[in-house]
Each structure stands twice: as structure tokens, then as C-alpha cells.
Amino acid sequence: MTITDTSQFSAQLRSVTQEDHHAAESSDFITTLMGGERSARDYTLLISQYHYIYEALEEEVRALASHPALTDIFDLHLERGAQIIKDLEVLLPMHDLEEIPAALPATEDYVAALRAAAADPARLVAHHYLRYLGDLSGGLAIGKLVSRHYSIPDEALNMWKFDAIEKPKLYKDAYREKLDIFGANPSHAEAVLDEAKRGFQWNKAIFEDLLRATSRKVPAAS
């Protein structure tokens, strides 16, 4: 893939991944979950898969956080792992689950991809962008939706809270500027674009696995 304007690399990244991003977020599992047609248990299973994803991502990011080219991007304040554990400590007992459900096959594939990406830090940047910019962009809305639809208590919605980031919009703008600088290196740009597309595809596969593993819970008509 040829980079034509590295000064706006972040905009190109968004454009190139738009189709895969839309395919992932329009997956039946996610649209029905956000539409109130599933259950709090299904939401718990989703957060359980995120546990494995963020555990892998954050271990690899911490190992590379001091890399000169990555230190500005790999902000450890973005980490979600501890927040996910807090949420699961509330959610699992609510659904008679004694331990975190096992990683689904697609989740295992994604985790393996995250581990492999650490060998080429530019590819890990793609996953960092995909996960955390997505969380900062849609997290507040997701938290409100699942709270309303499934009576998820506030103490189980830590995944979507970024207390260390006072102004998410300004933070995201600054993050994209850092991506523009990082993407000025053509080899970095190529790797990020390629891996980000794959990242959305792995996420879509996880949603498809979750769809197969759960049954839709349509609320009774009032």
C-alpha cells in the first residue's frame, strides 16, 4: 500500500480501515448487544474476552514503552487490564461464574497476533491505536447503553472510564498527531496500515464466535 501524504497519516489510517471497522462494529452480536436484545451475561462474556486481549496487548506494550520511537504513543495511562478485572469481580458472581470464561478460538488467534506483533513494534502500534482510540471514542456511549439495557452497575463499568484523561477529545487529537509523526517513516506506515486492517478482522471474528456461543435474549414486550 502506497503512502501518499504522511503528514496526514492518521487520516489515511482511518480511511483505509473504514470498511473493516464498519464490518466489525456492524456484527450481529455487537448490534444486538448495543440494541438491548441480549443479556448481561452476554456482556460479561464479551468483557471476559477483552481480559485476554488487553492482558496480551499491555504486556507487550509495557515491554516496548521505553522504545525511542514509541514512548510518546505508548501511554500506560490508557491501560484497561486492571479495570477489566474490577468489572469481572462484580459481573462473574452475578451470573454464577466462578472463573473467567475461557478464551474463544478467535480470541486465541487475536492474542497470538498481538504477541507476534511485538516483534515489529509498528504492528503493535496498530493494535494500540485500534483498541484505545476506539475505547476513548465509543466507550462512554457503550457504558451508558449496557447500563440502561442490562442494569449493569456503575462499579462494573470501569472498562469505559478513563479517569486519568481529563479531555478525551484533546487527547485523541494529540494521539493522532503522534501517529502522523510515526507514519512519516514509510516502513512504519505500511506496517500500521496492514496490521490495523487485520486487527479489525480479528475483532469481527471474535464477535462471530460470541454470536455462536450465546443466544439472543429479546426483552419481552411491555
Side-chain angles (χ1 to χ4, degrees), residues 54-62 78-81 132:
Y54 283 90
E55 181 180 54
L57 175 61
E58 291 170 2
E59 283 181 4
E60 301 301 342
V61 164
R62 276 184 241 117
L78 293 168
E79 289 193 345
R80 301 289 87 200
Y132 295 120

Side-chain angles (χ1 to χ4, degrees), residues 1-3 9 12-17 20 110 113 117 120 122-127 129-130 182 186-202:
M1 189 173 298
T2 302
I3 307 302
F9 172 68
Q12 184 173 7
L13 175 58
R14 182 176 182 178
S15 175
V16 166
T17 58
D20 293 296
Y110 190 17
D120 180 355
R123 292 189 175 273
L124 197 61
V125 167
H127 295 288
Y129 158 81
L130 185 159
F182 188 78
S187 66
H188 289 171
E190 296 288 346
V192 173
L193 288 170
D194 179 63
E195 193 75 8
K197 285 179 63 66
R198 294 173 185 269
F200 282 116
Q201 292 163 9
W202 278 309

Side-chain angles (χ1 to χ4, degrees), residues 7-215:
S7 68
Q8 291 297 318
F9 172 68
S10 59
Q12 184 173 7
L13 175 58
R14 182 176 182 178
S15 175
V16 166
T17 58
Q18 187 172 15
E19 183 177 342
D20 293 296
H21 187 177
H22 178 71
E25 70 181 6
S26 352
S27 296
D28 190 28
F29 178 83
I30 285 296
T31 56
T32 52
L33 183 70
M34 294 301 106
E37 300 174 46
R38 291 194 163 271
S39 68
R41 185 184 177 91
D42 287 355
Y43 174 74
T44 301
L45 294 176
L46 171 65
I47 297 300
S48 297
Q49 300 309 302
Y50 283 166
H51 161 70
Y52 298 107
I53 293 166
Y54 283 90
E55 181 180 54
L57 175 61
E58 291 170 2
E59 283 181 4
E60 301 301 342
V61 164
R62 276 184 241 117
L64 291 168
S66 61
H67 189 292
L70 303 174
T71 184
D72 285 342
I73 295 175
F74 284 177
D75 180 0
L76 301 186
H77 289 102
L78 293 168
E79 289 193 345
R80 301 289 87 200
Q83 284 82 350
I84 290 172
I85 290 295
K86 287 180 184 177
D87 290 349
L88 289 174
E89 286 174 349
V90 177
L91 292 167
L92 296 179
M94 289 174 60
H95 304 291
D96 298 321
L97 295 168
E98 296 182 359
E99 57 186 22
I100 300 173
L104 295 167
T107 302
E108 292 179 339
D109 290 344
Y110 190 17
V111 167
L114 288 167
R115 300 295 190 188
D120 180 355
R123 292 189 175 273
L124 197 61
V125 167
H127 295 288
H128 193 273
Y129 158 81
L130 185 159
R131 296 256 46 108
Y132 295 120
L133 262 285
D135 294 338
L136 279 169
S137 296
L140 185 60
I142 292 172
K144 287 181 178 179
L145 283 172
V146 298
S147 175
R148 182 169 76 238
H149 290 321
Y150 310 114
S151 300
I152 305 293
D154 186 67
E155 59 268 27
L157 293 172
N158 296 286
M159 166 71 188
W160 313 111
K161 299 174 184 176
F162 287 85
D163 295 334
I165 298 175
E166 185 177 352
K167 297 180 178 180
K169 171 65 166 59
L170 293 180
Y171 187 96
K172 289 187 292 181
D173 289 345
Y175 186 103
R176 293 187 184 100
E177 289 175 2
K178 295 170 186 176
L179 277 181
D180 289 338
I181 294 170
F182 188 78
N185 180 316
S187 66
H188 289 171
E190 296 288 346
V192 173
L193 288 170
D194 179 63
E195 193 75 8
K197 285 179 63 66
R198 294 173 185 269
F200 282 116
Q201 292 163 9
W202 278 309
N203 275 275
K204 183 174 185 290
I206 290 170
F207 299 149
E208 289 171 349
D209 269 7
L210 281 163
L211 184 65
R212 286 188 285 268
T214 60
S215 57

